[in-house]
Amino acid sequence: MKLELGNFYVKDIVFGDKTFYSEGILTINKDEALNVVKEDEHITEADLFIVKPGDKVRLVPVKEAIEPRTRVGDGPVFPGVTGDLMQAGNGKTLALKDCSVLVVGKHWGGFQDGLIDMSGEGAKYTYFSQLKNIVLVADTDEEFEKREQQKKNRALRWAGMRLSEYIGSCVKDLEPEEIDTFELDPITKRSSDINGLPSVVLVLQPQSQMEELGYNDLIYGWDANRMLPTFMHPNEVLDGAIISGSFMPCSSKWSTYDFQNFPMIRRLYEEHGKTLNFLGIIMSNLNVALDQKERAALFVAQMAKSLGADSAIVAEEGYGNPDADFIACIVALEDAGVKTIGLTNECTGRDGKSQPLVTLDPKANAIVSCGDVSQLIELPPMETVLGELESLGRDGFAGGWAGDEILGPSVRDDGSIIMENNSMFCGDQVVGWSTKTVKQF
């Protein structure tokens, strides 16, 4: 499979009479863009804002991040979700870089939603403060979904994807400023020089532990809970085959933008043929019952061994219950003779003294930490809030609270906040963005 990603580097974003891209400036016709958003009759209110690094703006509840793209030769950016099912990872896709579409609820948030500060102390905790963002702030008439603690509002998420496709389409007839090419020969057809290098497989565990549909990450529109571990080409992940789900404490979540740009995949591509032989991706899953976790781990280990993997990298989306899948997978790989590194965050409690993962094993002796989800963050008021600040403490955010005997409420009367890192939108960035780690004293 050969994927060409054509890049257009956005230097600034403005509203104007038409949507177009020229010399680094992305101009958006706001009325046309909102018409795309409001194609869903469930959306009752919607507005668009442009926020940039350094702006004194706080966004909450943030539900999704998407990179604006368009597929050359027609076809949806997200096959099986925003259009007909088709193969992702082949051909040419055009992307507007250094920007994203952020989806923010106008009122209600939930367990899986997060916060972004575009400036100040809070900006360092999330990658998206570095981007120029087109922010969709919207509400719907769906009472159940607005208040159901763990389910993101589907109408808003899909509106964000439609909006990103609409914006991305403005470059469909332009020549990209740069082209990134991603291509791997079939495993059995690679040269002896490449086959002589240490072979590596990347094992991804996207959010898939909810047995009820509507919560989990989707793979080609298919709920990831319904799959068994599956071998995938890395190009598929980079090219829209996966969208983010809606059940996960927010700092642990992988947004759709993260899947589209997955730094770990790009890094393995950079080393392919130089220091390693990148075999591809085993897309695993997260389960509820112990036997399901063990079964998935055995599938992963058998697949890695059959592919000839000398080593593996395992990355989990989330923590808590998924830790059992994460460790089981590492242990099964090690038992199969595949040297394995794990990528995860930790939940060590506010004092840092709790067990970092729910399950541990001596064989999981090479884990890269992306920081503690329970770390307390205290932030001053922000000049502008897009969304509803009260949702942080009111609506069951994983890192927010309505009241605490010692700390008081997450949202104070003056607009300052105190929360756990859990509420920072995609703050742990296990996919490879993270600059955080832990210190041992």
Side-chain angles (χ1 to χ4, degrees):
M1 296 176 75
K2 181 179 179 180
L3 171 65
E4 291 183 314
L5 284 179
N7 301 323
F8 297 83
Y9 289 92
V10 176
K11 299 175 184 176
D12 199 6
I13 307 172
V14 297
F15 290 125
D17 293 336
K18 65 177 182 177
T19 299
F20 69 101
Y21 176 88
S22 178
E23 298 181 347
I25 309 301
L26 172 61
T27 302
I28 299 171
N29 182 312
K30 188 174 182 179
D31 289 338
E32 284 186 1
L34 286 173
N35 285 338
V36 172
V37 168
K38 293 176 181 176
E39 287 174 6
D40 188 331
E41 63 182 9
H42 290 293
I43 294 177
T44 55
E45 300 177 68
D47 203 353
L48 292 180
F49 302 86
I50 296 167
V51 299
K52 304 168 189 177
D55 286 351
K56 296 178 180 180
V57 176
R58 177 167 289 156
L59 311 171
V60 61
V62 186
K63 298 175 176 294
E64 176 66 292
I66 309 153
E67 184 170 76
R69 290 186 176 187
T70 189
R71 192 176 298 280
V72 175
D74 296 325
V77 172
F78 303 105
V81 177
T82 57
D84 293 338
L85 191 61
M86 61 173 287
Q87 181 74 64
N90 261 327
K92 192 172 186 178
T93 295
L94 304 178
L96 290 162
K97 309 302 291 185
D98 298 330
C99 71
S100 80
V101 170
L102 295 178
V103 180
V104 177
K106 183 164 185 173
H107 295 299
W108 294 90
F111 173 79
Q112 72 292 322
D113 293 334
L115 178 144
I116 295 172
D117 272 2
M118 293 301 297
S119 64
E121 173 70 12
K124 71 182 183 183
Y125 290 98
T126 173
Y127 178 80
F128 296 94
S129 64
Q130 305 172 42
L131 301 179
K132 305 161 196 75
N133 298 301
I134 304 104
V135 182
L136 168 63
V137 181
D139 199 8
T140 75
D141 63 1
E142 298 172 1
E143 294 299 314
F144 171 76
E145 288 213 350
K146 283 192 293 186
R147 293 172 173 79
E148 206 281 335
Q149 191 182 51
Q150 296 164 342
K151 182 181 281 187
K152 229 191 280 190
N153 189 295
R154 184 187 187 280
L156 298 187
R157 297 167 64 207
W158 263 245
M161 286 183 281
R162 290 196 306 277
L163 179 60
S164 69
E165 289 186 332
Y166 163 77
I167 294 171
S169 67
C170 75
V171 297
K172 65 181 179 181
D173 297 320
L174 303 181
E175 285 299 315
E177 297 156 20
E178 177 187 68
I179 295 178
D180 291 329
T181 301
F182 301 92
E183 186 174 17
L184 291 176
D185 290 330
I187 292 174
T188 60
K189 305 296 183 183
R190 297 179 185 178
S191 69
S192 57
D193 288 343
I194 291 178
N195 282 331
L197 295 169
S199 55
V200 182
V201 66
L202 177 61
V203 180
L204 300 182
Q205 295 179 314
Q207 171 50 41
S208 50
Q209 72 186 90
M210 293 301 290
E211 294 177 340
E212 183 182 346
L213 299 179
Y215 294 82
N216 298 310
D217 294 356
L218 299 182
I219 300 177
Y220 287 108
W222 188 30
D223 192 295
N225 183 263
R226 298 299 188 258
M227 75 172 189
L228 292 171
T230 302
F231 183 70
M232 292 185 70
H233 197 287
N235 290 6
E236 295 177 277
V237 179
L238 296 175
D239 195 32
I242 307 179
I243 69 164
S244 176
S246 61
F247 173 74
M248 188 51 59
C250 199
S251 70
S252 306
K253 191 162 60 178
W254 300 348
S255 70
T256 297
Y257 183 100
D258 292 327
F259 284 115
Q260 291 173 297
N261 290 278
F262 222 106
M264 180 53 68
I265 294 176
R266 288 174 171 264
R267 188 73 178 97
L268 288 168
Y269 255 117
E270 287 176 14
E271 294 301 318
H272 178 69
K274 300 174 185 176
T275 63
L276 56 85
N277 178 10
F278 182 21
L279 299 176
I281 291 174
I282 298 175
M283 192 64 64
S284 189
N285 52 354
L286 303 172
N287 304 279
V288 178
L290 183 60
D291 64 327
Q292 295 170 353
K293 298 174 186 291
E294 293 172 345
R295 188 179 299 111
L298 292 175
F299 269 111
V300 169
Q302 175 276 128
M303 204 174 296
K305 194 69 176 177
S306 297
L307 290 168
D310 299 311
S311 58
I313 300 168
V314 180
E316 70 164 326
E317 181 183 7
Y319 68 93
N321 188 297
D323 291 345
D325 302 80
F326 177 67
I327 295 298
C329 192
I330 292 174
V331 169
L333 286 163
E334 288 282 347
D335 286 343
V338 180
K339 294 297 182 183
T340 304
I341 292 174
L343 305 178
T344 183
N345 54 17
E346 303 180 41
C347 183
T348 61
R350 294 175 185 174
D351 59 3
K353 296 180 180 180
S354 298
Q355 181 169 301
L357 301 175
V358 168
T359 303
L360 291 171
D361 190 280
K363 294 175 182 175
N365 59 4
I367 293 178
V368 177
S369 171
C370 298
D372 180 14
V373 302
S374 302
Q375 179 184 359
L376 280 176
I377 301 170
E378 193 165 1
L379 300 173
M382 195 64 71
E383 283 187 7
T384 301
V385 174
L386 295 182
E388 186 179 38
L389 183 58
E390 290 75 14
S391 65
L392 172 64
R394 183 193 62 205
D395 297 339
F397 279 41
W401 53 87
D404 183 276
E405 290 183 1
I406 299 173
L407 300 173
S410 278
V411 180
R412 297 160 176 158
D413 291 340
D414 65 353
S416 64
I417 60 174
I418 184 169
M419 66 182 202
E420 293 182 359
N421 177 62
N422 252 323
S423 287
M424 195 60 69
F425 182 73
C426 297
D428 300 325
Q429 299 292 6
V430 173
V431 298
W433 307 109
S434 183
T435 58
K436 294 189 299 181
T437 184
V438 295
K439 292 182 180 180
Q440 183 172 339
F441 296 94

